[in-house]
Amino acid sequence: MSVNQDPGHLSGQVIDSIGAALCRAQAEGVLAVVIAGKGHGFPDGPPLSEILSDVTVESLGKLCSRVACSDLPVVAAMQGAVCGGALSLALSTHARVAQVGTRIGFTEIEWGLCPFAGATQRLSRILGAGPAIELMLSGRLVPAEHVDVAPLFERLVGDNLMDAAIGLARDLAVQSRANNRRSEAEAAGLSDPIQYQRAVAGARKGVLSAEAKAVVDCVEAAQLLTMEAGQAFETSSFHALRESSRAAALVHVAQAEAFFLTARHPAPKDVVVFGDSLMARGVAIACLDAGARVHLAERAEGGAGRLVKEIEKVSTQEVAAGHTSAERAQARLSRLSGGRLEDVIGSGEIVIEAGGFPLSAMGDVADLLTSATGPDIPVLLGSNVALRGGAMAHLFGGRVLGAAFQPPPQLARLVELVVPDAVSAEAVIRSEALARAMRKVVLHVAPRNGCLLQTLVSRFFAAAEWCVLQGASPSEVDRALGWRAGPFAMMDREGLGAQPARLAAINGHERENSLNSALLAGGRDGIANGRGYYRYDDNGQNPRADPEADALVARWRDVDAGRQGPVAEEIRQRILLALVSVGLELMEGGVIGRAAEVDLAAIHGLGMPRSSGGPMKWAENAGLIRVRKALQRFSASDPRLWQVSPILDDRIKDGTRFGD
């Protein structure tokens, strides 16, 4: 039986159809069954929205049990990416044939969940504890050729996948020993009980997330319990995780990313990048990685040639580091060319300005690019947009948009498209399609100084500075937040001079006597010169406390040294609620359209943990009434940082959430 690739998901309807087909096969005297995808893949696992409902999870579990216990031999013909619930189904078959290049894995760990439908039990019985735990906890897709997963496959073939699968099914039907063969295969993973327990014990070392602990517990259950009891244990673990606030947050992020990442239109294949700056290099590499042909239009004579050589050097380094193959690197470079603007401008379906031009020159640049291109070619202005999007509002419209790439453009996941009301739908579609082909999370913002991310960063740092003013030390603030890098470590990384410039751009003037300005006056600019809020070694690594910085902070604070500052929980609440407040402000002002955009910007731009769901999801989980009360309490100390938005009042009154 083949599962059509469109829609291609193991939805509840598809699961029922497979079950009905099995019944027909048995009734009609079929000797064996092959499950495959129609086309060049295998049916995808259930959609995430259906994984969150009991019906699909339960029906897939029942289907897998039916397949495993079927009197008819069932073979899975696997190709493409086979992950999640689809891999659960494949594991329940009596044998699997995979085409070379097939990749398998479980992505449930990214959603705060464990694999389901018997996957933890069957995988552990076949592979053993160590490889099973590694596959389920990593969230990565592993090639079928990998030695650790080789026992899963009866055959690996280069082509003629269906012929091989049908041939194997016939062999099993002749042997009439499908279930016996399967029991023998499963026993292999349990054959060394001592090694199995060592792998389980090793996996329990260190601090485990709830979902990781559940996976390890399920793997241990596969050794200690019967198949039926182990499946019941797995189901109980899955349901407990699914009801947790952590899973709700991780699922929220995954769904938001899917919405903003999913390609809806073909991406442009020819891109002109205007400029020869570091930003232009990164944008060009990102476009090449998206499969586009890139034409570098130089800002100054010789700039395109220099940039081509720099990109060639980057490719050589990537090959040497094993990040890509020489063949892929060469294929990427074959799509790169450059020259004078007038010679290459006509080659592009879209033009990206990345020249590092000053704000005063952007009007002339926009005129130059629009006059040199056809009337249907979108032009993305990149210079100054992240901070000066509002000041450039008069340049946007028709087919001209802004593109605020987070540095470095070839690696960072976030890009903000500045989309004015007057811009054409086609220009937006083409620009968005290219960004999504680059695997960027694409957020739409209205023209505003600071756009979304820089406005969040400004408020984030301002709330952290307030906590220091009240008596907390910078290191206490960083520790209280509990992120990979706290606000003061982040300031050191980007340079302390960036925040005063950001405040001046967003607010129209620099705030007097800021903490960063005080440290800058003391000759400290962060990692760049080895001294900021922390002191660093010559390589900008190993941050450590610095008494000189602490003394500068104390003089700036100018309050009683014995004053008790805010405790860790208050610090955390104040910073998160400042982000919630500014997010609501941006929604109210029409700068963004969805609360989820704030969450994604905080996660991909500020480094907020995915497990938090972002500030807006955190507020929902905390309870909007509690959030409003806390904002009211905090606003007495600084109404600019902690204001109560009418949107929040409306949500509370209507009983709705930000995502509704």
Side-chain angles (χ1 to χ4, degrees):
M1 68 184 71
S2 65
V3 179
N4 201 324
Q5 281 299 102
D6 185 17
H9 285 287
L10 286 174
S11 62
Q13 181 179 0
V14 172
I15 291 169
D16 292 342
S17 297
I18 294 175
L22 280 174
C23 288
R24 288 198 306 273
Q26 289 177 316
E28 294 171 4
V30 171
L31 297 179
V33 173
V34 174
I35 298 178
K38 186 175 182 180
H40 300 287
F42 193 77
D44 293 333
L48 182 53
S49 58
E50 293 194 23
I51 290 175
L52 302 180
S53 71
D54 285 329
V55 176
T56 298
V57 169
E58 183 179 352
S59 62
L60 182 58
K62 289 180 178 178
L63 174 63
C64 290
S65 294
R66 282 188 59 192
V67 169
C69 298
S70 172
D71 293 332
L72 297 178
V74 182
V75 174
M78 301 166 64
Q79 57 182 328
V82 184
C83 55
L87 185 52
S88 298
L89 176 60
L91 289 172
S92 72
T93 62
H94 304 121
R96 289 155 292 277
V97 178
Q99 191 168 48
V100 172
T102 299
R103 295 174 300 142
I104 65 169
F106 290 98
T107 54
E108 286 85 353
I109 199 78
E110 298 176 0
W111 307 327
L113 304 172
C114 66
F116 56 96
T120 63
Q121 304 305 292
R122 296 187 176 96
L123 187 70
S124 303
R125 285 169 163 80
I126 299 172
L127 294 185
I133 290 172
E134 170 63 22
L135 186 64
M136 289 187 283
L137 292 190
S138 71
R140 295 191 299 269
L141 297 185
V142 176
E145 303 92 314
H146 196 285
V147 63
D148 285 346
V149 298
L152 294 177
F153 305 102
E154 192 82 10
R155 296 176 187 171
L156 286 175
V157 298
D159 50 21
N160 299 321
L161 173 65
M162 286 303 298
D163 290 344
I166 292 170
L168 177 59
R170 284 175 176 153
D171 291 345
L172 293 179
V174 170
Q175 295 169 11
S176 299
R177 296 177 58 231
N179 286 323
N180 288 337
R181 287 170 59 84
R182 196 164 181 282
S183 298
E184 291 165 4
E186 287 178 348
L190 304 174
S191 61
D192 188 341
I194 295 177
Q195 182 60 33
Y196 195 103
Q197 273 299 313
R198 283 176 179 164
V200 170
R204 287 205 171 105
K205 292 179 180 178
V207 179
L208 297 179
S209 64
E211 59 271 22
K213 183 179 183 301
V215 166
V216 177
D217 289 346
C218 286
V219 170
E220 184 174 40
Q223 184 188 41
L224 303 178
L225 304 177
T226 64
M227 184 68 188
E228 184 178 356
Q231 285 182 279
F233 183 85
E234 175 196 85
T235 299
S236 175
S237 300
F238 177 85
H239 286 311
L241 290 171
R242 194 178 60 184
E243 299 305 315
S244 69
S245 59
R246 176 180 171 85
L250 288 167
V251 166
H252 163 73
V253 175
Q255 290 177 320
E257 285 177 334
F259 177 84
F260 289 105
L261 273 169
T262 302
R264 298 178 177 87
H265 302 277
K269 290 300 182 184
D270 285 278
V271 181
V272 171
V273 178
F274 177 44
D276 39 37
S277 64
L278 187 63
M279 176 186 173
R281 186 181 77 181
V283 170
I285 292 173
C287 292
L288 290 169
D289 287 340
R293 290 179 290 270
V294 175
H295 312 275
L296 298 172
E298 60 191 14
R299 174 180 175 181
E301 186 176 353
R306 176 180 56 79
L307 213 56
V308 167
K309 290 180 179 179
E310 289 182 9
I311 294 173
E312 289 173 345
K313 183 178 179 181
V314 169
S315 294
T316 301
Q317 292 170 342
E318 290 176 349
V319 171
H323 296 156
T324 190
S325 66
E327 293 76 17
R328 288 193 65 182
Q330 187 56 45
R332 180 171 70 177
L333 292 173
S334 71
R335 290 183 271 106
L336 179 65
S337 63
R340 297 180 302 171
L341 175 65
E342 57 267 31
D343 294 333
V344 303
I345 193 70
S347 303
E349 300 172 63
I350 188 169
V351 176
I352 303 176
E353 177 277 313
F357 294 95
L359 182 62
S360 59
M362 289 306 295
D364 292 336
V365 170
D367 290 341
L368 172 65
L369 296 179
T370 52
S371 63
T373 54
D376 61 338
I377 303 298
V379 174
L380 300 183
L381 302 180
S383 298
N384 292 293
V385 169
L387 283 179
R388 302 287 188 175
M392 296 166 63
H394 64 288
L395 302 178
F396 303 126
R399 56 191 174 94
V400 180
L401 296 84
F405 289 94
Q406 184 187 356
Q410 69 271 34
L411 298 177
R413 294 292 306 281
L414 194 68
V415 61
E416 297 174 83
L417 286 183
V418 180
V419 183
D421 293 337
V423 75
S424 73
E426 179 58 32
V428 176
I429 287 171
R430 197 177 299 182
S431 304
E432 187 178 72
L434 176 61
R436 285 179 170 164
M438 297 180 194
R439 301 298 300 159
K440 305 295 186 188
V441 175
V442 187
L443 306 182
H444 287 197
V445 297
R448 182 189 194 278
N449 283 1
C451 296
L452 169 56
L453 177 58
Q454 293 301 323
T455 302
L456 285 183
V457 172
S458 174
R459 200 66 61 92
F460 178 60
F461 288 171
E465 183 183 280
W466 184 93
C467 293
V468 171
L469 181 62
Q470 303 309 308
S473 70
S475 60
E476 286 173 337
V477 173
D478 283 352
R479 287 196 302 270
L481 201 55
W483 297 5
R484 185 173 61 252
F488 293 100
M490 287 178 60
M491 289 188 212
D492 276 357
R493 187 175 62 205
E494 77 166 14
L496 272 62
Q499 176 67 349
R502 180 184 293 113
L503 291 172
I506 294 175
N507 303 323
H509 59 84
E510 181 183 342
R511 188 166 56 82
E512 294 182 3
N513 194 30
S514 70
L515 178 54
N516 276 22
S517 297
L519 266 73
L520 280 167
R524 313 180 75 86
D525 192 27
I527 290 177
N529 69 352
R531 298 183 304 159
Y533 291 97
Y534 302 91
R535 184 175 286 275
Y536 301 84
D537 62 23
D538 292 340
N539 296 320
Q541 303 294 323
N542 303 316
R544 57 190 184 278
D546 188 344
E548 293 180 11
D550 294 340
L552 283 171
V553 170
R555 285 199 294 273
W556 172 81
R557 186 187 291 132
D558 194 26
V559 296
D560 179 10
R563 176 177 176 176
Q564 178 64 47
V567 298
E569 182 57 26
E570 181 184 350
I571 291 171
R572 181 172 174 270
Q573 282 197 12
R574 282 188 178 270
I575 291 176
L576 290 174
L577 285 171
L579 295 176
V580 172
S581 178
V582 72
L584 292 171
E585 175 188 313
L586 292 170
M587 290 176 65
E588 186 179 355
V591 178
I592 56 173
R594 302 163 63 97
E597 293 175 89
V598 179
D599 292 332
L600 293 178
I603 289 167
H604 291 292
L606 294 180
M608 190 171 182
R610 294 177 67 88
S611 58
S612 68
M616 310 306 281
K617 187 62 178 180
W618 171 83
E620 287 185 346
N621 288 340
L624 298 188
I625 293 177
R626 290 179 59 192
V627 164
R628 190 187 193 285
K629 289 180 178 179
L631 283 171
Q632 283 182 311
R633 187 169 70 252
F634 292 161
S635 66
S637 55
D638 193 328
R640 178 182 61 91
L641 287 175
W642 298 288
Q643 57 182 310
V644 179
S645 166
I647 292 179
L648 180 59
D649 288 337
D650 290 343
R651 292 292 192 273
I652 292 172
K653 181 176 66 176
D654 297 341
T656 56
R657 299 159 72 89
F658 295 135
D660 295 339

